[in-house]
Amino acid sequence: MSTQHGPHIGPRHTARRDSGLFRTKTVEQSIQDTEEPEHTLKKSLSALDLTVFGVGVIIGTGIFVLTGKIAKEQAGPAVALSFIAAGVVCALAALCYAEFASTVPVAGSAYTFSYASLGELPAWIIGWDLILELALGCAVVAVGWSGYIRSLLDTAGWHLPAGLAGTHEGHFGFDLLACVLVLVLTGILVLGMKLSSRVTGVVVAIKVTVVLLVIIAGAFLISGANYHPFVPPSQPTPAGGGVSAPLIELIFGFTPSHFGAMGIFAGAAVVFFAFIGFDVVATAAEETRHPQRDVPRGILGSLAICTLLYVAVSVVVTGMENYHKLSVDAPLADAFKDLGKPFFADVISFGAAVGLTSVCMILLLGQSRVFFAMSRDGLLPRVFSRAHPRFGTPYRSTIALGVIVAVVSGFTSIDVLAELVNIGTLFAFVVVAVGVILLRRSRPDLPRSFRTPWVPVVPVLSVLASLWLMLNLPAETWIRFAIWMAIGFVIYFLYGRSHSRLGLRNRQNNG
């Protein structure tokens, strides 16, 4: 077998550990499964394509909204330090993802990684988790995009009927624009990864241009006085109580403070969510021409670019206007309006609307690849693991999930968008970091074109940082997460465990 596809399959490594809930699928077997003709995805992506995907999914409304919100409510001008702290947490996870993606270049990301290191049940749990997070995230982003487009249409004098404008402000309706967006993007993903990467490339070029324009224009409007004090004095915040309070508060009686040093870290727990998405790059490993080399570059490159842009934007917005005066809903756009520059406010709104298109597409891509990988392993119906004979894409899983997400986005209120997306991502970070340590011990012989430095220190720090951010999420988010996981356990024990291809192989070998 060529080095492009992975390590040679030798007799020493075909045995699989255990035959129960924690049976592991060897890296060699995972790679071998990708070469079955009807389940083979077309390899067409480069390091540049992956970096564009990463930037495309990370930069969304977060860069235009969270900067002002956290500066005003938690960190002041030191919000730039909050972005750096969040970027460090993501970098720790990214180093772990990069090693796994270069060692196991197979669709499925954290699901596939955990199958090779932790076992089948943990793999099912993380796969089930990722499907929910990516689907919910895509639906919510589509609804946000719809809001921007309706606003632009209203400005042009075109008004959608109330019944087709979505659910908002107590009014129930079907969000036609969100639904149509998801269906169109689903069609593009079915037609091939190269087309998808070209569309994403155009969108990313537009929104990065908008971000750079904002940074350059805003730099000429900075007043040094707005940076004082850079780290405002600490102010205690009242305890929230109930399930809406952060879990850390309910467990330890700890109440985070606003501003000061703790305000910077509390802000990091929130702005972290602006970074979510770089891990989706790993789901495209199987469709990359040289995954061992290019996937780590795509993951780390996109994260570095976005961290730089986030820090620059936060420095500019807090320098343009005193953090006390920043608006929470549209801080960048409103800051330009307050300074008599409405043109840039319109450019920002346009950039946000365009940017959400690529975010939605790449979340759709990620969830379809996870679903495809689980189906190919037999944990979900195998009918969804067929690749298109011409386009080489997992068209059945893409269409099925695209239709579901389109319907969900049509009836989703932007207000019910919870931190479920965030807790799922952090949970995946924990699993991948632990998996790196376990696979280093169980398979030290595996060729690793990228190696996470300072193992086990970096993975352990990644676990601790992710758990800390999870504890800062509301208790109600943990409850919803637990309910979804419970549903997943039921499906696994009723269907997945008995239909697992790995389980069937083990029973045949033992029989």
Side-chain angles (χ1 to χ4, degrees), residues 94 149 171:
I149 298 302
H171 169 77

Side-chain angles (χ1 to χ4, degrees), residues 100-163:
F100 253 130
S102 65
T103 308
V104 195
V106 177
S109 185
Y111 159 75
T112 302
F113 306 157
S114 56
Y115 211 159
S117 56
L118 299 175
E120 185 171 282
L121 181 59
W124 165 268
I125 292 170
I126 196 64
W128 184 247
D129 158 53
L130 287 174
I131 289 173
L132 172 74
E133 311 320 325
L134 296 172
L136 271 186
C138 181
V140 165
V141 169
V143 173
W145 175 88
S146 173
Y148 278 107
I149 298 302
R150 284 199 308 273
S151 176
L152 292 173
L153 290 176
D154 290 342
T155 303
W158 295 5
H159 306 285
L160 277 178

Side-chain angles (χ1 to χ4, degrees), residues 4-181:
Q4 178 178 335
H5 294 294
H8 176 70
I9 300 176
R12 288 178 53 216
H13 304 309
T14 54
R16 298 162 189 85
R17 190 188 72 202
D18 294 334
S19 58
L21 301 179
F22 295 93
R23 54 197 175 205
T24 56
K25 183 179 180 181
T26 64
V27 172
E28 291 82 3
Q29 187 61 60
S30 293
I31 295 172
Q32 191 176 62
D33 286 348
T34 69
E35 297 177 347
E36 297 173 352
E38 62 184 13
H39 305 297
T40 299
L41 301 180
K42 186 177 181 181
K43 295 180 180 293
S44 60
L45 300 178
S46 64
L48 178 61
D49 292 325
L50 294 176
T51 303
V52 169
F53 273 137
V55 174
V57 73
I58 297 171
I59 297 183
T61 52
I63 196 169
F64 302 114
V65 177
L66 286 179
T67 44
K69 178 179 172 62
I70 302 308
K72 182 173 184 175
E73 297 179 355
Q74 290 182 307
V79 64
L81 300 181
S82 294
F83 273 110
I84 291 173
V88 169
V89 174
C90 290
L92 293 172
L95 290 170
C96 298
Y97 267 88
E99 173 168 328
F100 253 130
S102 65
T103 308
V104 195
V106 177
S109 185
Y111 159 75
T112 302
F113 306 157
S114 56
Y115 211 159
S117 56
L118 299 175
E120 185 171 282
L121 181 59
W124 165 268
I125 292 170
I126 196 64
W128 184 247
D129 158 53
L130 287 174
I131 289 173
L132 172 74
E133 311 320 325
L134 296 172
L136 271 186
C138 181
V140 165
V141 169
V143 173
W145 175 88
S146 173
Y148 278 107
I149 298 302
R150 284 199 308 273
S151 176
L152 292 173
L153 290 176
D154 290 342
T155 303
W158 295 5
H159 306 285
L160 277 178
L164 297 177
T167 301
H168 52 89
E169 298 178 357
H171 169 77
F172 178 80
F174 182 77
D175 197 326
L176 178 64
L177 291 175
C179 181
V180 169
L181 172 68

Side-chain angles (χ1 to χ4, degrees), residues 81 157 379 508:
L81 300 181
L379 300 183
Q508 290 170 357

